[in-house]
Amino acid sequence: MPSDAKILIVDDHEDTLYALESALAPLGHEVTCATNGDAALKEVLRGHVGLLLLDVRMPGVSGLDVVRYMRRVEQTQSIPIVLLTGFGLDAALSAEAFRLGVADLLLKPIDPLALCTKVSYLFSAHQRLLATERELRELRAARQPAVRGGPTRPRGLVRPHVIDPRVPPQRDVILPQDPAQDPAPSGG
């Protein structure tokens, strides 16, 4: 993940935004805030969001709507999301949240120490995932030949589907002929 990745906090209550931002300050990550789902989506699509803390119930675009949209867009699919709710956890909300791939669902008021621990872990795990994906893309690009006509195989190599190295080479074997089937005339 780029070093400029930030944590996005989305809640329609200013006091909650301030409390969450203050709780995360010791982590040293850049934190940005949004007060509704539309603003959250715009910020996420600009890029550089490494983790999203998202209120479930907001006027207009809800937190679950934001998650649904993000999971359909390739550039935002893997961003970890922690949903926040002040209305209690119910089975339907939990099932939908985890079906959509959220990392966690927390009940407000939130314990600052627990929040920092979860955020720190999820943020660094996402950073490692992006670094691994970037390294994989670089390795794949390095393996591609730089020939205009596309990939070619080096001269002198046999196509793998023609000769299977797991099958031992066959020898010409001369089998004895059955005299009953021998069409050669017998000298008689």
Side-chain angles (χ1 to χ4, degrees):
M1 177 184 310
S3 60
D4 60 344
K6 57 192 164 204
I7 297 170
L8 175 60
I9 305 172
V10 185
D11 199 296
D12 56 326
H13 298 290
E14 294 284 334
D15 56 336
T16 304
L17 289 174
Y18 178 76
L20 292 171
E21 191 172 8
S22 298
L24 295 174
L27 296 179
H29 299 295
E30 181 184 347
V31 175
T32 189
C33 299
T35 56
N36 60 59
D38 287 330
L41 287 172
K42 288 176 185 174
E43 187 65 36
V44 166
L45 291 173
R46 280 188 200 112
H48 306 295
V49 172
L51 183 126
L52 185 63
L53 293 175
L54 180 63
D55 188 22
V56 173
R57 296 190 181 157
M58 295 181 290
V61 178
S62 75
L64 287 175
D65 292 335
V66 171
V67 176
R68 284 183 192 103
Y69 181 81
M70 287 177 63
R71 294 310 186 223
R72 289 191 309 255
V73 177
E74 185 176 351
Q75 80 184 61
T76 63
Q77 284 177 349
S78 67
I79 296 173
I81 300 171
V82 177
L83 284 179
L84 312 172
T85 183
F87 293 99
L89 301 176
D90 62 64
L93 173 61
S94 296
E96 179 67 4
F98 291 117
R99 185 188 69 73
L100 291 170
V102 300
D104 208 347
L105 181 60
L106 301 178
L107 186 61
K108 297 178 193 176
I110 297 168
D111 174 27
L113 181 60
L115 178 66
C116 283
T117 302
K118 287 177 192 264
V119 165
S120 180
Y121 172 78
L122 291 169
F123 194 84
S124 63
H126 184 61
Q127 186 175 21
R128 288 189 306 271
L129 172 69
L130 291 179
T132 302
E133 288 174 348
R134 189 171 35 256
E135 185 178 338
L136 183 59
R137 280 191 307 273
E138 291 169 2
L139 288 171
R140 284 182 177 155
R143 284 188 64 198
Q144 295 298 320
V147 178
R148 278 183 291 174
T152 60
R153 69 185 162 84
R155 294 181 188 261
L157 292 181
V158 179
R159 292 184 184 145
H161 68 276
V162 174
I163 295 179
D164 188 347
R166 296 171 292 174
V167 178
Q170 302 296 313
R171 295 190 176 111
D172 291 336
V173 178
I174 300 174
L175 299 174
Q177 291 186 346
D178 184 3
Q181 293 182 357
D182 189 11
S186 58

